[in-house]
Amino acid sequence: MSQALKAIFETNPYTNLAPYLQALDEKGQKELILSLLGRDDIDLECFLKSNLESEGLIFKVLKEEGIEYIDIDSIRLVNVLILPQEFLPAIVVEVLPKQKHLKLIAPNFINPFHKLNITQSINDKFKDYKIDFCVCSHHMLQKINKALKFKYESKEVDITSILSYATLLNASDVHLVKQAKEASFYIRLDGVMQFIRKLGVNNFTSISKQLKLLSDVDITNRFNAMDGHFGIEIDSKTLDTRSSFLALKNGESIVLRLPSLKTKDFSFKDLGLDAKFIELLKDSLQAKSGLILISGPTGSGKTTTLYTCLEYINKGTKKIVTIEDPIEKEIANISQCEVKENFGFEVALKYVLRQDPDVIMIGEIRDKETLALALRAALSGHLVLASIHSSSVFSTIQRLRNLGAKKYILKATLRLFVSQRLLMTKCLECEGEGCVSCYFSGLGQRRLINEYLPFSSEIDYIMESLSALESFFKANAIASLESQAKELLAQGIITKGESLI
């Protein structure tokens, strides 16, 4: 490398390489790239940022030196942020205990002195592990460094940084908990709670006040539970966030429910539903009137099932109106309205009935008034889809009766009951032992199971007797939730805890 070239990069190692690389042969290009990355003061993120157009060549040169390019997908990104990062600024990407193998991104992996130092530090903790040095794209390295700075370096955090971190990992919920003299920040990923970091008590108090102001709830109320919602712009995206505040004996619990930013259209097959039930559901959705109820606890996928039903119906030939809290996914050609203070499900449904709808979707039947209006709508020639909190088909029937529904009205309106669960399976890669694919939790994808009852006036006797319902299930080869869970347990797909429906 010429003295003139050395002088240019000696002054500024982050000078764009592209014009100089074009003038060099392959050997000269390699020499220039390695000389810069071998400097004591080089910052890998800054170096890649100034050479985005040359990343491909840089990664090729590094591969020849045994530095692997690693694609940081969403699973790896989560692992990077969940793994204890004890060797910063070197970033541990993967730890595979069975194979005694570790992968990391180090800022000075070309410099022999720095490479030896980090290797010795890691060997003190991970004895006899094979260590692979890696590099990733500037885009992902920037994301990782930003998130790690939030997790390990920031003394004080704010609402924006908390939500930015949570949405980066596609978390469904944020949990902020203060108990006595300590506070913690958790997120829920794929149904599993993950601890992120501790928070200062004063920092928590400040965040709590800001969230209450945003949620338009009483900031002076320190004893009663409160719910709210607010919109906030995070990383150029608007999040419509639901908030819940619960006073504890020695503190407070705050939960923020985040909208899914990974909206995906599902088919019935994608949900894992069996062919027999899919045909039954499609037949029910083609009806002009009646009530289809999807039941299950929170987090059982009721909203996803309802959206999939709407997508199936939405052919442009019917007026479809939804009432939701909140709207979790916008669907073209469907009129979607959101409940607000003084505009709950009951009030919204009264106005929706004046919109000449063919199909009405109610996000949740919570009270007698909403149920009464839903049944009236089903009786007057509308197809009504709704969710309700109950644990089984039979408990759904009982819940409707407890909410004041008359038996003769239920006989005239009910079309299909569905009760469902999402069960957490064991990770297929490690069979529950813990690996990179499952964030080292041992858990795999969630599996949907359901039981269902196609209702008609001929089988109204089922309303009065659980044993009658069980006999009907047996005669029609419909598996109950309990029997499906027991079968999955016997096959080793789920744990004992998950099988306890």
Side-chain angles (χ1 to χ4, degrees):
M1 184 164 54
S2 69
Q3 291 300 317
L5 203 54
K6 283 183 179 179
I8 291 169
F9 289 100
E10 187 66 37
T11 306
N12 181 11
Y14 305 115
T15 301
N16 190 314
L17 286 171
Y20 303 97
L21 292 172
Q22 290 174 6
L24 297 171
D25 59 16
E26 191 173 327
K27 182 179 178 183
Q29 291 173 343
K30 182 175 182 177
E31 183 184 349
L32 176 57
I33 291 169
L34 293 180
S35 66
L36 291 170
L37 285 172
R39 289 178 55 147
D40 288 338
D41 59 348
I42 200 72
D43 181 290
L44 181 59
E45 183 186 332
C46 291
F47 179 78
L48 292 175
K49 182 180 179 180
S50 62
N51 293 289
L52 295 176
E53 60 194 291
S54 304
E55 268 193 347
L57 180 58
I58 293 168
F59 297 151
K60 179 184 175 186
V61 168
L62 291 175
K63 185 176 181 180
E64 292 171 359
E65 296 298 305
I67 310 296
E68 175 190 358
Y69 171 78
I70 188 165
D71 181 22
I72 307 291
D73 57 14
S74 58
I75 291 177
R76 276 204 171 106
L77 177 61
V78 172
N79 277 307
V80 167
L81 301 179
I82 289 175
L83 285 169
Q85 296 293 342
E86 304 171 78
F87 310 107
L88 294 172
I91 301 165
V92 178
V93 178
E94 286 182 8
V95 179
L96 305 172
K98 281 188 175 180
Q99 295 88 341
K100 288 207 164 187
H101 194 182
L102 181 146
K103 294 183 179 183
L104 81 159
I105 297 169
N108 302 94
F109 42 47
I110 296 300
N111 186 300
F113 176 73
H114 289 291
K115 192 171 182 178
L116 179 62
N117 271 352
I118 188 64
T119 301
Q120 288 176 341
S121 297
I122 291 171
N123 281 334
D124 289 341
K125 168 87 176 181
F126 298 95
K127 295 188 184 300
D128 303 321
Y129 269 62
K130 180 179 182 294
I131 300 171
D132 282 344
F133 288 86
C134 307
V135 66
C136 70
S137 69
H138 167 263
H139 174 68
M140 290 310 302
L141 187 58
Q142 186 180 42
K143 277 189 172 185
I144 290 168
N145 282 335
K146 178 183 175 183
L148 290 177
K149 184 176 181 180
F150 167 84
K151 185 172 181 178
Y152 291 102
E153 296 178 24
S154 306
K155 293 180 181 178
E156 296 276 314
V157 300
D158 56 23
I159 295 168
T160 301
S161 59
I162 285 172
L163 292 177
S164 179
Y165 186 93
T167 54
L168 176 65
L169 300 186
N170 293 307
S172 60
D173 303 86
V174 166
H175 290 249
L176 304 168
V177 183
K178 173 179 169 282
Q179 291 180 309
K181 296 182 179 180
E182 67 175 32
S184 302
F185 166 35
Y186 303 81
I187 60 175
R188 188 177 293 280
L189 286 170
D190 291 337
V192 180
M193 288 280 284
Q194 300 283 358
F195 170 76
I196 302 302
R197 58 166 287 170
K198 294 287 185 184
L199 299 175
V201 171
N202 291 336
N203 192 191
F204 177 95
T205 303
S206 174
I207 291 168
S208 175
K209 288 178 180 178
Q210 292 174 54
L211 286 170
K212 285 169 184 172
L213 285 170
L214 282 171
S215 304
D216 196 25
V217 299
D218 185 357
I219 196 170
T220 64
N221 187 342
R222 294 185 297 149
F223 305 104
N224 297 327
M226 297 181 290
D227 291 331
H229 80 277
F230 60 91
I232 186 170
E233 188 165 308
I234 302 293
D235 300 329
S236 302
K237 298 183 180 75
T238 300
L239 302 184
D240 187 4
T241 305
R242 282 187 282 178
S243 53
S244 173
F245 305 88
L246 180 66
L248 307 178
K249 182 180 180 182
N250 295 308
E252 183 179 27
S253 173
I254 302 171
V255 177
L256 305 176
R257 185 70 187 267
L258 306 180
S260 174
L261 298 178
K262 294 174 69 179
T263 55
K264 177 183 175 183
D265 292 337
F266 289 98
S267 68
F268 294 126
K269 191 174 180 181
D270 291 332
L271 298 181
L273 303 173
D274 68 73
K276 178 183 174 183
F277 173 70
I278 290 173
E279 288 308 308
L280 175 64
L281 181 55
K282 286 180 178 179
D283 287 345
S284 299
L285 291 172
Q286 289 170 20
K288 291 184 177 181
S289 65
L291 177 62
I292 297 174
L293 277 176
I294 312 292
S295 73
T298 301
S300 60
K302 298 187 297 295
T303 302
T304 300
T305 300
L306 284 171
Y307 276 147
T308 307
C309 290
L310 292 179
E311 293 278 9
Y312 176 76
I313 299 170
N314 187 22
K315 309 296 184 186
T317 58
K318 294 181 179 180
K319 170 80 171 183
I320 304 172
V321 185
T322 73
I323 308 169
E324 305 177 59
D325 180 23
I327 295 170
E328 296 189 24
K329 175 185 173 183
E330 293 185 11
I331 306 175
N333 304 318
I334 289 181
S335 301
Q336 296 173 268
C337 70
E338 191 167 276
V339 301
K340 298 178 177 66
E341 189 176 357
N342 301 320
F343 188 71
F345 282 105
E346 178 196 358
V347 176
L349 188 49
K350 287 180 181 177
Y351 286 98
V352 164
L353 287 169
R354 300 171 190 166
Q355 288 284 307
D356 187 30
D358 296 295
V359 180
I360 303 170
M361 190 273 268
I362 304 171
E364 185 184 344
I365 292 177
R366 297 175 177 172
D367 50 44
K368 293 181 179 180
E369 293 75 19
T370 306
L371 174 59
L373 283 168
L375 291 171
R376 193 180 90 187
L379 273 172
S380 58
H382 304 90
L383 180 64
V384 180
L385 284 66
S387 77
I388 190 168
H389 281 279
S390 60
S391 59
S392 66
V393 164
F394 188 72
S395 66
T396 301
I397 297 171
Q398 299 309 304
R399 177 88 194 279
L400 296 178
R401 299 292 296 275
N402 291 338
L403 287 174
K406 304 296 183 185
K407 185 176 177 180
Y408 73 90
I409 295 179
L410 292 178
K411 286 172 61 176
T413 57
L414 294 177
R415 189 162 294 280
L416 178 65
F417 286 115
V418 183
S419 184
Q420 61 184 53
R421 292 288 193 286
L422 278 173
L423 301 183
M424 190 68 75
T425 64
K426 294 179 184 177
C427 176
L428 293 175
E429 299 291 326
C430 63
E431 297 181 351
E433 299 270 334
C435 69
V436 65
S437 296
C438 61
Y439 316 144
F440 299 94
S441 67
L443 302 174
Q445 298 292 317
R446 287 181 287 182
R447 177 174 291 196
L448 179 68
I449 62 170
N450 68 12
E451 64 181 28
Y452 53 90
L453 174 65
F455 195 81
S456 66
S457 57
E458 289 77 22
I459 57 169
D460 63 331
Y461 62 89
I462 287 174
M463 288 189 185
E464 309 297 338
S465 168
L466 177 59
S467 61
L469 177 64
E470 290 172 345
S471 298
F472 179 84
F473 279 171
K474 187 175 182 181
N476 290 273
I478 299 173
S480 67
L481 292 171
E482 289 81 0
S483 64
Q484 291 175 68
K486 287 178 182 177
E487 179 63 24
L488 291 172
L489 175 64
Q491 294 173 7
I493 295 172
I494 62 173
T495 63
K496 177 71 174 177
E498 283 294 299
S499 72
L500 302 176
I501 298 294

